[in-house]
């Protein structure tokens, strides 16, 4: 009973969102670390696409665990901005990093509110 309450679809999606934002953060950090590496191609995670698949899988009762979270990182080989083949734009990466931080914090806040609601239900149930 407790496991079903804690592991509901909302908690699962929030957990997946935090994991995904964390993987995206690592990809962006890697891009910034390799901004001066010749031939390096930037990496990114399509947060919206992966979350949409997870939500659709959750709503249809399917298993959204088919794709390991680390395999959602894509190499962007389409853009080449410099003669050395590196396509990392530091200003763009900093913008994406800020966006990802906002997403991570919003999901963490939602998870915190959900846990606070569960705590209230449990403590009020004793009275």
């Amino acid at each position: 009973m407790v496991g079903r309450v804690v592991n509901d679809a909302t908690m699962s999606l929030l957990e997946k969102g935090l994991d995904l934002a964390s993987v995206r953060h690592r990809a962006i950090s890697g891009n910034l670390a390799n901004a001066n590496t010749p031939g390096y191609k930037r990496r990114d995670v399509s947060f919206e696409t992966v979350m949409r698949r997870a939500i659709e899988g959750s709503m249809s009762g399917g298993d959204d665990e088919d794709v390991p979270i680390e395999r959602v990182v894509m190499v962007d080989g389409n853009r080449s901005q410099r003669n050395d083949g590196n396509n990392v734009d530091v200003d763009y990466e900093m913008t994406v990093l800020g966006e990802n931080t906002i997403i991570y914090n919003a999901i963490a806040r939602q998870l915190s509110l959900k846990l606070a609601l569960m705590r209230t239900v449990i403590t009020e149930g004793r009275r």
Side-chain angles (χ1 to χ4, degrees):
M1 172 78 178
V2 173
R4 215 173 48 198
V5 171
V6 173
N7 294 324
D8 69 353
T10 303
M11 295 287 277
S12 176
L13 289 173
L14 290 172
E15 178 185 355
K16 187 151 197 118
L18 285 176
D19 289 345
L20 192 57
S22 178
V23 169
R24 190 173 193 211
H25 190 86
R26 283 196 302 268
I28 297 166
S29 297
N31 292 340
L32 289 169
N34 289 291
N36 293 322
T37 303
Y40 180 82
K41 301 296 181 197
R42 72 177 299 272
R43 287 153 175 74
D44 200 0
V45 173
S46 177
F47 186 88
E48 294 81 10
T49 302
V50 176
M51 283 306 293
R52 186 177 310 115
R53 273 189 288 169
I55 291 169
E56 289 170 357
S58 173
M59 290 174 63
S60 67
D63 186 10
D64 63 344
E65 301 294 330
D66 294 337
V67 178
I69 197 88
E70 295 293 338
R71 290 185 50 203
V72 298
V73 177
M74 302 171 298
V75 176
D76 183 3
N78 295 332
R79 294 187 291 167
S80 183
Q81 295 188 348
R82 299 189 322 221
N83 290 336
D84 66 359
N86 187 313
N87 65 355
V88 175
D89 178 354
V90 173
D91 291 334
Y92 178 76
E93 298 302 326
M94 293 303 292
T95 302
V96 173
L97 184 66
E99 174 189 281
N100 194 57
T101 301
I102 291 170
I103 290 171
Y104 185 91
N105 288 339
I107 295 171
R109 174 96 174 119
Q110 288 299 314
L111 186 59
S112 176
L113 290 172
K114 176 111 176 135
L115 293 173
L117 179 63
M118 291 173 66
R119 186 178 317 113
T120 300
V121 168
I122 291 169
T123 57
E124 292 299 318
R126 288 189 209 159
R127 296 181 186 185

